Amino acid sequence: MALFAKLRDRLKGVREKWSGGIAKLFSGKTFSGDFWDELEEKLIAGDTGLDFTEEITEYLKREAKTRKLKTPEELKGIFTAKITEELNAVPGMGKGFSLDSTPLVLLMIGVNGSGKTTSAGKLAMMYKNQGKSVIMAAADTFRAAAVDQLKIWGERSGVRVIAQGQGSDPAAVAFDSWKAAESSRADVLIVDTAGRLHDKHNLMEELRKIHRILLREAGEARLETVLVLDAVLGQNSVAQAETFSSIIPVTSIILTKYDNTSKGGVVISIARKLHVPVRYIGLGEGAEDLNTFNPEEFASALMNG
Ligand code: GDP
Ligand code: MG
């Protein structure tokens, strides 16, 4: 219960900006003429996606009719169950990374500002607190500040950071860090990368090369390509995901800034369009603000006012 309460509290922003309106709609005493239109509007405004909005509205209408429901309140449980089912349809959704084969390599990718470095730092802290041995690699060598930012997270969590000078080859940093992780028998290696989209062609080549080397060294079972997406961008983050997926296979997603978004339904769009599990959601800038994403808990936290 404590965890649930914490999640509810952190989801306050999303509730105020999005799901609160839906919860309110469902607390109505009658199915007024506007109920279905308003529901559709709110689902679309939250970036759940057009397909999902149409599907779930039709489904709820049918359920209300066949079960002869009198109030929207009676539909609430059916609604949250459907959202949970939709999210759980993606294997691995809401589950942390598997540590069956180590060193597990988490290759963090995504556009500038999406929260890669912060998420890398949060993950390092999380694993460290679980007693795991962790190494981070500063493969965003484009800006000196990026390396420094990762080093600060390293100091905070007591995690070693492998870095070379600014402008060095990111793939070489990734390779060195793998060797260090392998020889020290680390449990987790977290590789931070650059995300400068204005230089898209070079960036994609660079990521491809890093990925190729890590795949060759670590093997598929030990490599997770983690796409970091900014929930504030809503559906646009899905488009970004498609761009990255066309370059390297994305195996997991971390959805950041969920505390700040009004597009709370984006997680449903991601599940449906990408079929890649959302492992964690970012609910703030602090080291502890990374939560596993439990679909059931999430759906109830959102909808229960
Ligand atoms: P990067 O360019 O992808 O490495 O992004 P950064 O990790 O530098 O993050 C960009 C900004 O987003 C920073 O100010 C972070 O503190 C902030 N940020 C990252 N994750 C979250 C989150 O879950 N919630 C909030 N509110 N801010 C976040
Ligand atoms: Mg960064």
Side-chain angles (χ1 to χ4, degrees), residues 109-120 122 140 143 146 149 153 192-195 228 230 232 254-260 281-286 289-290:
I109 63 170
V111 304
N112 265 345
S114 59
K116 290 179 297 302
T117 307
T118 307
S119 300
K122 289 175 179 177
D140 178 356
R143 293 173 306 129
Q149 191 189 353
W153 277 104
D192 190 26
T193 66
V228 179
D230 177 345
V232 175
I254 291 180
L255 189 60
T256 62
K257 309 186 198 176
Y258 204 80
D259 51 313
N260 266 342
I281 50 174
L283 294 172
E285 296 184 272
D289 298 330
L290 188 71

Coordinates of all heavy atoms in Angstrom, one line a residue, residues 109-120 122 140 143 146 149 153 192-195 228 230 232 254-260 281-286 289-290, ligand 1:
I109 N 19.7 5.5 -25.4 CA 19.6 6.4 -26.5 C 18.4 7.2 -26.5 O 17.4 7.0 -25.8 CB 19.6 5.5 -27.9 CG1 18.4 4.6 -28.0 CG2 20.9 4.7 -28.0 CD1 18.2 4.0 -29.3
G110 N 18.4 8.3 -27.3 CA 17.2 9.2 -27.3 C 17.7 10.6 -27.7 O 18.9 10.9 -27.6
V111 N 16.8 11.5 -28.0 CA 17.2 12.9 -28.4 C 17.7 13.7 -27.2 O 17.4 13.3 -26.0 CB 16.1 13.6 -29.1 CG1 15.6 12.9 -30.3 CG2 14.9 13.9 -28.2
N112 N 18.4 14.7 -27.5 CA 18.9 15.7 -26.4 C 17.7 16.1 -25.6 O 16.7 16.5 -26.1 CB 19.5 16.9 -27.1 CG 21.0 16.8 -27.2 OD1 21.6 15.9 -26.7 ND2 21.5 17.7 -28.0
G113 N 17.9 16.1 -24.3 CA 16.9 16.6 -23.4 C 15.9 15.6 -23.0 O 15.0 15.9 -22.1
S114 N 15.9 14.4 -23.5 CA 14.9 13.5 -23.2 C 15.0 12.9 -21.8 O 14.1 12.4 -21.2 CB 14.8 12.3 -24.2 OG 16.1 11.6 -24.2
G115 N 16.3 13.0 -21.3 CA 16.5 12.5 -19.9 C 17.4 11.3 -19.9 O 17.4 10.5 -18.9
K116 N 18.2 11.1 -20.9 CA 19.1 9.9 -20.9 C 20.1 9.9 -19.7 O 20.2 8.9 -19.0 CB 20.0 9.9 -22.2 CG 19.3 9.6 -23.5 CD 20.2 9.6 -24.7 CE 20.8 11.0 -24.9 NZ 19.9 12.1 -25.1
T117 N 20.8 11.0 -19.6 CA 21.9 11.1 -18.6 C 21.3 10.9 -17.2 O 21.8 10.2 -16.3 CB 22.7 12.3 -18.7 OG1 23.2 12.4 -20.0 CG2 23.9 12.4 -17.7
T118 N 20.2 11.6 -17.0 CA 19.5 11.6 -15.7 C 19.0 10.2 -15.4 O 19.2 9.7 -14.3 CB 18.3 12.6 -15.7 OG1 18.7 13.8 -16.1 CG2 17.6 12.6 -14.3
S119 N 18.4 9.5 -16.4 CA 17.9 8.2 -16.2 C 19.1 7.2 -15.9 O 18.9 6.3 -15.1 CB 17.1 7.7 -17.4 OG 16.0 8.5 -17.6
A120 N 20.2 7.4 -16.6 CA 21.4 6.6 -16.4 C 21.8 6.7 -15.0 O 22.1 5.7 -14.3 CB 22.5 7.0 -17.4
K122 N 20.0 7.7 -12.4 CA 19.0 7.1 -11.5 C 19.1 5.6 -11.4 O 19.0 4.9 -10.4 CB 17.6 7.4 -12.0 CG 17.1 8.9 -11.8 CD 15.8 9.1 -12.5 CE 15.2 10.5 -12.3 NZ 13.9 10.6 -13.1
D140 N 28.6 10.1 -24.6 CA 28.3 11.4 -25.2 C 29.5 12.2 -25.0 O 29.7 12.9 -24.0 CB 27.1 12.0 -24.4 CG 26.7 13.4 -25.1 OD1 27.4 13.8 -26.0 OD2 25.7 14.0 -24.6
R143 N 29.9 17.0 -26.0 CA 30.0 18.2 -25.2 C 30.7 17.8 -23.9 O 30.4 16.8 -23.3 CB 28.6 18.7 -24.8 CG 27.9 19.3 -26.0 CD 26.4 19.7 -25.5 NE 25.8 18.5 -24.9 CZ 25.2 18.5 -23.7 NH1 25.1 19.6 -23.0 NH2 24.6 17.5 -23.3
A146 N 28.4 17.2 -20.9 CA 27.7 15.9 -20.8 C 28.5 14.9 -20.0 O 27.9 14.2 -19.2 CB 27.5 15.4 -22.2
Q149 N 28.4 15.9 -16.4 CA 27.0 15.6 -15.8 C 27.0 14.2 -15.3 O 26.5 13.8 -14.3 CB 26.0 15.9 -16.8 CG 24.5 15.9 -16.3 CD 23.5 15.9 -17.4 OE1 23.8 16.1 -18.6 NE2 22.2 15.8 -17.1
W153 N 26.8 12.3 -11.4 CA 25.9 11.1 -11.0 C 26.8 10.0 -10.5 O 26.4 9.3 -9.5 CB 25.1 10.6 -12.2 CG 23.8 11.4 -12.4 CD1 23.6 12.4 -13.4 CD2 22.6 11.4 -11.7 NE1 22.3 12.9 -13.3 CE2 21.7 12.3 -12.2 CE3 22.2 10.6 -10.5 CZ2 20.4 12.5 -11.7 CZ3 20.9 10.8 -10.0 CH2 20.0 11.8 -10.6
D192 N 25.9 5.9 -21.6 CA 25.1 7.1 -22.0 C 25.6 7.6 -23.3 O 26.8 7.4 -23.7 CB 25.5 8.2 -20.9 CG 24.6 9.5 -21.1 OD1 23.5 9.4 -21.6 OD2 25.1 10.6 -20.6
T193 N 24.7 8.1 -24.2 CA 25.1 8.5 -25.5 C 24.6 9.9 -25.8 O 23.8 10.5 -25.0 CB 24.5 7.6 -26.6 OG1 23.1 7.7 -26.6 CG2 25.0 6.1 -26.4
A194 N 25.0 10.5 -27.0 CA 24.6 11.8 -27.4 C 23.2 11.7 -28.1 O 22.8 10.6 -28.5 CB 25.6 12.4 -28.3
G195 N 22.6 12.9 -28.2 CA 21.3 12.8 -28.9 C 21.0 14.0 -29.8 O 19.9 14.5 -29.9
V228 N 15.1 6.4 -24.4 CA 14.5 7.3 -23.4 C 13.6 8.3 -24.1 O 14.1 9.1 -25.0 CB 15.7 8.0 -22.6 CG1 15.1 9.0 -21.6 CG2 16.6 7.0 -22.0
D230 N 10.6 11.4 -23.8 CA 10.0 12.5 -23.0 C 8.5 12.5 -23.1 O 7.9 12.7 -24.1 CB 10.6 13.8 -23.5 CG 10.1 15.0 -22.8 OD1 9.1 14.9 -22.1 OD2 10.7 16.1 -23.0
V232 N 6.4 14.5 -22.1 CA 5.8 15.8 -22.3 C 5.4 15.9 -23.8 O 4.5 16.6 -24.2 CB 6.7 16.9 -21.8 CG1 6.2 18.3 -22.2 CG2 6.9 16.8 -20.3
I254 N 12.3 3.8 -21.4 CA 12.1 4.6 -20.2 C 11.3 5.9 -20.5 O 11.8 6.6 -21.4 CB 13.4 4.9 -19.5 CG1 14.0 3.6 -18.9 CG2 13.2 5.9 -18.3 CD1 15.4 3.8 -18.2
L255 N 10.2 6.1 -19.9 CA 9.4 7.2 -20.2 C 9.6 8.3 -19.1 O 9.2 8.0 -17.9 CB 7.9 6.8 -20.3 CG 6.9 7.8 -20.8 CD1 7.2 8.3 -22.2 CD2 5.5 7.2 -20.7
T256 N 10.3 9.4 -19.5 CA 10.6 10.4 -18.4 C 9.6 11.5 -18.3 O 8.7 11.6 -19.2 CB 12.0 11.1 -18.8 OG1 11.8 11.7 -20.1 CG2 13.1 10.0 -18.9
K257 N 9.7 12.3 -17.3 CA 9.0 13.5 -17.1 C 7.5 13.2 -17.1 O 6.7 14.1 -17.5 CB 9.3 14.6 -18.2 CG 10.8 14.8 -18.3 CD 11.1 15.9 -19.3 CE 12.6 15.8 -19.7 NZ 12.9 16.8 -20.7
Y258 N 7.1 12.1 -16.6 CA 5.7 11.7 -16.5 C 5.0 12.6 -15.5 O 3.8 12.8 -15.5 CB 5.5 10.2 -16.2 CG 4.2 9.7 -16.7 CD1 4.0 9.4 -18.0 CD2 3.2 9.6 -15.8 CE1 2.7 9.0 -18.4 CE2 1.9 9.2 -16.2 CZ 1.7 8.9 -17.5 OH 0.5 8.5 -17.9
D259 N 5.8 13.2 -14.6 CA 5.3 14.1 -13.6 C 4.9 15.4 -14.2 O 4.2 16.2 -13.6 CB 6.4 14.3 -12.5 CG 7.8 14.7 -13.1 OD1 8.2 14.1 -14.0 OD2 8.3 15.7 -12.6
N260 N 5.4 15.7 -15.4 CA 5.1 17.0 -16.0 C 4.2 17.0 -17.1 O 3.9 18.1 -17.7 CB 6.5 17.6 -16.5 CG 7.1 18.5 -15.4 OD1 6.5 18.9 -14.5 ND2 8.4 18.7 -15.6
I281 N 9.3 4.6 -15.4 CA 8.8 5.9 -15.7 C 9.5 6.9 -14.8 O 9.7 6.6 -13.6 CB 7.3 6.1 -15.6 CG1 6.7 5.6 -14.4 CG2 6.6 5.5 -16.9 CD1 5.2 6.0 -14.2
G282 N 9.9 8.0 -15.3 CA 10.6 9.1 -14.5 C 9.5 10.0 -14.0 O 8.6 10.5 -14.7
L283 N 9.6 10.2 -12.7 CA 8.6 11.0 -12.0 C 9.2 12.2 -11.3 O 8.7 12.6 -10.2 CB 7.7 10.2 -11.0 CG 6.9 9.1 -11.7 CD1 6.3 8.2 -10.6 CD2 5.8 9.7 -12.5
G284 N 10.3 12.7 -11.8 CA 11.0 13.8 -11.2 C 12.4 13.8 -11.5 O 12.9 12.9 -12.2
E285 N 13.1 14.9 -11.0 CA 14.6 15.0 -11.4 C 15.5 14.3 -10.4 O 16.7 14.2 -10.7 CB 14.9 16.5 -11.5 CG 14.2 17.2 -12.6 CD 14.6 18.6 -12.8 OE1 14.0 19.5 -12.1 OE2 15.5 18.9 -13.6
G286 N 15.0 13.9 -9.3 CA 15.8 13.4 -8.2 C 16.3 11.9 -8.5 O 15.7 11.2 -9.3
D289 N 13.6 9.3 -8.2 CA 12.3 9.5 -9.0 C 12.3 8.6 -10.2 O 12.0 9.1 -11.3 CB 12.2 11.0 -9.4 CG 12.1 11.9 -8.2 OD1 11.5 11.4 -7.1 OD2 12.5 13.0 -8.2
L290 N 12.6 7.3 -10.0 CA 12.4 6.4 -11.2 C 11.6 5.3 -10.6 O 11.9 4.7 -9.6 CB 13.8 5.9 -11.6 CG 13.8 5.1 -12.8 CD1 13.6 5.9 -14.1 CD2 15.2 4.4 -13.0
Ligands
GDP1 P1 19.7 14.0 -22.0 O1 20.1 15.2 -22.9 O2 18.8 13.1 -22.7 O3 20.9 13.4 -21.4 O4 18.8 14.6 -20.9 P2 19.1 15.0 -19.4 O5 19.3 13.7 -18.6 O6 20.3 16.0 -19.3 O7 17.8 15.7 -18.9 C1 17.3 16.9 -19.4 C2 16.4 17.6 -18.3 O8 15.3 16.8 -18.0 C3 17.2 17.8 -17.0 O9 16.9 19.0 -16.5 C4 16.6 16.7 -16.1 O10 16.7 17.0 -14.8 C5 15.2 16.6 -16.6 N1 14.6 15.3 -16.3 C6 15.0 14.1 -16.7 N2 14.1 13.1 -16.3 C7 13.1 13.8 -15.7 C8 11.8 13.4 -15.1 O11 11.5 12.2 -15.0 N3 11.0 14.4 -14.6 C9 11.4 15.7 -14.6 N4 10.5 16.6 -14.1 N5 12.5 16.1 -15.2 C10 13.4 15.2 -15.7

